[in-house]
Amino acid sequence: TDFKLHQNGLITYFDESSSKFFALDSTFAVIDSFWVQNGFITDEHEIKILKNGNVLLIGYDYRFYDMSQIVPGGDRNASVVVNVVQEINKKRTVVFEWKAYEHYKLTDVGPEVNLLDPSFIHSHINSIDFDLDSNLVVSSRGLDEITKIDRKNGNIIWRLGGKNNQFRFINDSLGFSAQHSASILPNGNLILFDNGLFHKPHFSRAVEYKLDTTGKTATLVWSYRNLPDVASI
C-alpha cells in the first residue's frame, strides 16, 4: 500500500507481511527499507523521505488503560492503539519522536471512537507534512483534527478541527471529520480529504483552507464534491 514517488526519485511502498516500507529505484529494484524504532510497529499510512536522507514515519503500539477512571462505564483494562511520529536518520537512529498519547487526551477523540469499547484506536494519525516553516502538520483521524507540531520541542502550535479546535471556519459550515491526506500547498494553504462521516447526508469531498494562524480563521477557498455524492469511511 501507499505506493508513491518521492522528490529524490525513489518510489516507496508498504509491505504488510514485514511491516516495513521498501524503496525502489527507477528500475524498480529494491534498494532500501524503513521501519520505526523503539519498540513501535510501523504504520502503513505515511512515509516522507527528506532532502538530508532522513525519513518520517508513523508508528503505533498497544497500551492498556483503566478507562473506568476516565469515563463512566469504561473498560478496566482497555487495549488502546496509540501513535508515535518518528524522524529517523540513515543510521536508523531516531532524531525526533512525538508520542501522540502524551500530547492528546484519550477523551479528545471524536464521536466515531467509542471510549467504552474494550479496544479502540486513539488518534489514528494518517498523514504527516511540513508547513512552510519546516514544522510538522499531522492528520489525526480519530480526533477529527489537524495539528501543527514544533519540530524542535514537540509542542503543539495549533489545532484545527475536533473538540480542541482553535479556528473559526469561514465560508464552510460543515467542517471536516475522519480526514486523510492533509498537506500544505506551496502558497501555505491546507488541503485535505474530508471523509465527512457526520455530514448529513454522508458525503466526502476535497477541501482547501487559507489559514490565518494569528486571527485563527480557516477560510474555505476551494472544494470538490462529486455528483452524485460519494461517501467514504
Side-chain angles (χ1 to χ4, degrees), residues 15 17 42 97 109-110 112 214:
D15 176 62
S17 63
T42 307
E97 182 173 78
V109 295
E112 68 268 32
T214 302

Side-chain angles (χ1 to χ4, degrees), residues 60-79:
Y60 67 93
D61 194 11
Y62 298 87
R63 300 288 168 98
F64 291 92
Y65 293 88
D66 181 357
M67 292 301 297
S68 68
Q69 300 297 313
I70 300 173
V71 290
D75 192 281
R76 294 182 180 276
N77 194 35
S79 175

Side-chain angles (χ1 to χ4, degrees), residues 32-48:
D32 211 342
S33 58
F34 310 99
W35 62 95
V36 294
Q37 308 295 312
N38 297 340
F40 290 93
I41 305 166
T42 307
D43 185 277
E44 67 177 343
H45 280 96
E46 182 71 282
I47 180 173
K48 284 282 197 306

Side-chain angles (χ1 to χ4, degrees), residues 62-222:
Y62 298 87
R63 300 288 168 98
F64 291 92
Y65 293 88
D66 181 357
M67 292 301 297
S68 68
Q69 300 297 313
I70 300 173
V71 290
D75 192 281
R76 294 182 180 276
N77 194 35
S79 175
V80 181
V81 179
V82 296
N83 281 132
V84 64
V85 173
Q86 289 183 354
E87 180 181 345
I88 301 166
N89 65 20
K90 294 179 180 180
K91 296 180 179 180
R92 302 299 187 266
T93 301
V94 177
V95 296
F96 175 82
E97 182 173 78
W98 191 79
K99 296 175 180 177
Y101 53 97
E102 292 183 350
H103 296 269
Y104 298 143
K105 296 178 182 178
L106 290 175
T107 52
D108 284 347
V109 295
E112 68 268 32
V113 179
N114 186 357
L115 295 177
L116 301 182
D117 283 347
S119 61
F120 61 88
I121 301 173
H122 180 225
S123 52
H124 197 152
I125 294 176
N126 56 27
S127 72
I128 316 170
D129 200 20
F130 292 100
D131 205 343
L132 301 185
D133 60 6
S134 297
N135 289 310
L136 298 178
V137 175
V138 303
S139 166
S140 292
R141 171 194 167 107
L143 278 62
D144 306 314
E145 176 180 319
I146 309 298
T147 312
K148 182 172 178 177
I149 301 164
D150 191 311
R151 201 167 157 201
K152 294 180 180 179
N153 56 32
N155 292 338
I156 291 178
I157 298 174
W158 51 250
R159 305 177 75 168
L160 172 68
K163 292 179 179 178
N164 296 279
N165 175 50
Q166 298 174 321
F167 289 75
R168 178 169 57 92
F169 287 90
I170 298 176
N171 297 335
D172 184 22
S173 61
L174 295 172
F176 55 83
S177 56
Q179 75 288 335
H180 284 74
S181 302
S183 59
I184 301 297
L185 298 175
N187 64 0
N189 287 359
L190 171 71
I191 193 168
L192 57 90
F193 181 77
D194 170 25
N195 286 72
L197 288 188
F198 307 113
H199 299 334
K200 295 182 180 180
H202 176 199
F203 69 91
S204 301
R205 60 179 182 154
V207 290
E208 177 185 346
Y209 297 105
K210 179 178 178 59
L211 302 181
D212 178 350
T213 57
T214 302
K216 290 295 188 295
T217 59
T219 302
L220 183 68
V221 296
W222 175 84

Side-chain angles (χ1 to χ4, degrees), residues 8 34 48-55 88-90 92:
N8 64 359
F34 310 99
K48 284 282 197 306
I49 301 177
L50 313 186
K51 291 181 180 180
N52 62 2
N54 289 3
V55 174
I88 301 166
N89 65 20
K90 294 179 180 180
R92 302 299 187 266

